[in-house]
Amino acid sequence: MRNLLALSVVALFALSALAQENKEGVTKKKYGNMPDATQVDEYTLTNKNGMTMKVITLGGIVTEMHVPDKDGKFADVCLGCSNLAEYLEGHPYFGAITGRVANRIAKGKFTLGGKEYTLATNNGPNHLHGGKIGFDKVIWTGTIYRTEGAQSLMLQYRSKDGEEGYPGNLSVTVRYILTDKNEWRIEYSATTDKATPINLTQHAYFNLAGHSSGTILDHQVKINADKYTPTDDTLIPTGKIEPVKGTPNDFTTPTAIGKRIKDIKADPQGYDLNFVLNGKAGELREIAVVTEPKSGRVMKVSTTEPGVQFYTGNFLDGKQKGKGGVKYSQYGGFCLETQHYPDSINQKGFPSVVLEPGKKYMHTTVYSFGVAK
Ligand code: GLA
């Protein structure tokens, strides 16, 4: 009898610990230490429906995102690593904030205010995602703050003048807001003291069937873009803006990712392309809908940005260590990185990525989760 009582007390404690974990709110704990001993924290955001996301202060990386399916069953739909050591070993920007300039800058060079700047070439002949130590590899300061109907975390980083070769001290704030409507809302803002290019995005890899469930080739994708920016074979735009109609890039009606992927002339084969979004940049409008047929999960994307890089995990090769010992294979996840067009700083015909002192960079993107009706 006494044993039974003791057992039920233990069970009660375990249950309440579980309830605590799934409780609406934001909690913070230590995630690990960087090689120089800087502490990395982990924040867990849980909304009133039990949807949970975990974020670490290294790169503002979203390490987990638990989303319900059509039967209310939760799965972690974001690819990532198991722990800090694995993130530090290297990974292809899983769940991270990328910048100062996300995507590519041709030959790592640009001219601004009559001065030529040289950046790291860390992707063949080009500069990618902010250079050697881009915003995905720095430690952000996290602050929990109160919002109505949502759980919110503010991440801040001050990028020094000259960091990774870019001009100006840049103060960046990225807010992750998990609403009770199962939306992950991201609000970016930044100011500078010298003119600088800036292009911030979130590099989350999604697999709406669950991060370890194989390829995303059967996900149905709709992208509200009649045009795209064709590239050379190093993925730098040629400067032309061409219609998607009649190409494998036409996602104006829902189409399985795998349907025409073999028609793409690229090595490795797959989508890694900037779409010129319909509608007015600066206004928050729906730009994409992705449906996973088996789970019924649907993700809608809205943004204020003019473009989106649609990337289908072409470079994943089964070697990358993932959560729970999973090895992510090619097409194991997809990204919809809302942003300005690649290499905009060198392309006169593209919307400008230059932020001037006294002006504010602003960008809002919302990933909204639901189920197919
Ligand atoms: C972006 C790029 C891809 C690739 C990934 C990271 O999406 O466009 O070419 O570099 O990042 O692997």
Side-chain angles (χ1 to χ4, degrees):
M1 184 63 196
R2 192 182 282 165
N3 275 354
L4 239 175
L5 202 77
L7 251 179
S8 44
V9 169
V10 170
L12 251 176
F13 266 115
L15 265 178
S16 70
L18 211 72
Q20 201 70 35
E21 211 163 84
N22 290 324
K23 228 177 105 192
E24 185 180 351
V26 187
T27 57
K28 173 186 174 183
K29 69 175 194 204
K30 178 179 167 178
Y31 188 69
N33 288 100
M34 294 294 283
D36 72 355
T38 308
Q39 183 166 318
V40 178
D41 293 322
E42 177 192 71
Y43 291 87
T44 303
L45 287 69
T46 307
N47 75 4
K48 75 163 193 230
N49 312 315
M51 180 175 159
T52 299
M53 57 188 280
K54 292 194 185 226
V55 180
I56 57 173
T57 48
L58 170 68
I61 294 173
V62 173
T63 58
E64 293 177 31
M65 168 99 59
H66 298 266
V67 178
D69 70 2
K70 60 179 184 327
D71 303 318
K73 230 177 98 204
F74 283 79
D76 180 0
V77 299
C78 280
L79 277 61
C81 300
S82 296
N83 51 47
L84 184 59
E86 281 186 18
Y87 279 111
L88 295 177
E89 264 172 41
H91 66 102
Y93 305 91
F94 284 148
I97 299 166
T98 43
R100 185 180 293 205
V101 174
N103 217 314
R104 292 175 177 78
I105 295 179
K107 312 270 189 288
K109 285 199 187 298
F110 67 90
T111 304
L112 188 61
K115 202 174 156 208
E116 189 180 75
Y117 292 88
T118 303
L119 311 169
T121 47
N122 55 330
N123 185 248
N126 303 319
H127 177 82
L128 177 69
H129 295 329
K132 289 195 175 125
I133 305 177
F135 291 180
D136 60 294
K137 293 181 188 68
V138 301
I139 304 298
W140 294 69
T141 305
T143 310
I144 299 168
Y145 67 101
R146 294 192 74 82
T147 32
E148 198 58 43
Q151 305 302 328
S152 304
L153 173 68
M154 178 165 74
L155 295 163
Q156 287 176 299
Y157 179 66
R158 191 164 193 271
S159 170
K160 291 203 188 78
D161 188 6
E163 189 175 308
E164 285 294 329
Y166 289 104
N169 291 296
L170 184 77
S171 299
V172 187
T173 300
V174 179
R175 291 165 193 267
Y176 287 165
I177 302 161
L178 175 63
T179 76
D180 288 338
K181 292 184 189 149
N182 290 2
E183 298 157 325
W184 169 26
R185 184 182 172 96
I186 310 168
E187 293 176 357
Y188 305 81
S189 62
T191 53
T192 184
D193 58 6
K194 277 187 199 158
T196 178
I198 175 172
N199 188 31
L200 303 179
T201 192
Q202 228 296 340
H203 208 297
Y205 288 65
F206 298 99
N207 184 325
L208 299 181
H211 78 98
S212 59
S213 64
T215 78
I216 43 75
L217 295 174
D218 57 355
H219 285 48
Q220 299 271 331
V221 172
K222 179 173 186 279
I223 302 176
N224 297 338
D226 297 332
K227 293 180 182 139
Y228 73 106
T229 51
T231 62
D232 67 12
D233 54 13
T234 72
L235 297 177
I236 294 295
T238 59
K240 289 195 187 119
I241 293 185
E242 284 180 1
V244 293
K245 210 175 161 78
T247 76
N249 309 327
D250 187 353
F251 285 95
T252 53
T253 54
T255 309
I257 295 177
K259 191 169 175 206
R260 298 162 307 192
I261 207 163
K262 294 281 171 242
D263 302 339
I264 295 172
K265 290 180 201 73
D267 183 22
Q269 214 162 31
Y271 294 96
D272 193 355
L273 192 66
N274 170 64
F275 286 79
V276 173
L277 296 170
N278 296 344
K280 209 168 159 211
E283 281 173 16
L284 190 65
R285 74 256 192 242
E286 187 174 293
I287 59 106
V289 181
V290 186
T291 308
E292 198 285 306
K294 285 186 227 92
S295 65
R297 286 192 189 89
V298 178
M299 184 178 85
K300 294 182 176 167
V301 188
S302 301
T303 190
T304 54
E305 285 296 283
V308 69
Q309 184 85 8
F310 179 44
Y311 171 59
T312 48
N314 318 333
F315 292 105
L316 296 173
D317 58 4
K319 291 192 190 121
Q320 181 64 49
K321 270 195 221 157
K323 286 181 274 190
V326 171
K327 298 252 163 84
Y328 297 120
S329 58
Q330 194 178 38
Y331 315 132
F334 70 90
C335 306
L336 282 166
E337 307 159 44
T338 53
Q339 55 186 276
H340 274 57
Y341 313 159
D343 198 32
S344 288
I345 190 70
N346 292 311
Q347 302 271 358
K348 295 253 157 13
F350 291 178
S352 171
V353 287
V354 176
L355 177 69
E356 303 282 349
K359 293 265 162 47
K360 196 168 181 179
Y361 168 88
M362 290 216 277
H363 160 188
T364 300
T365 290
V366 183
Y367 296 97
S368 162
F369 297 90
V371 290
K373 296 247 163 59

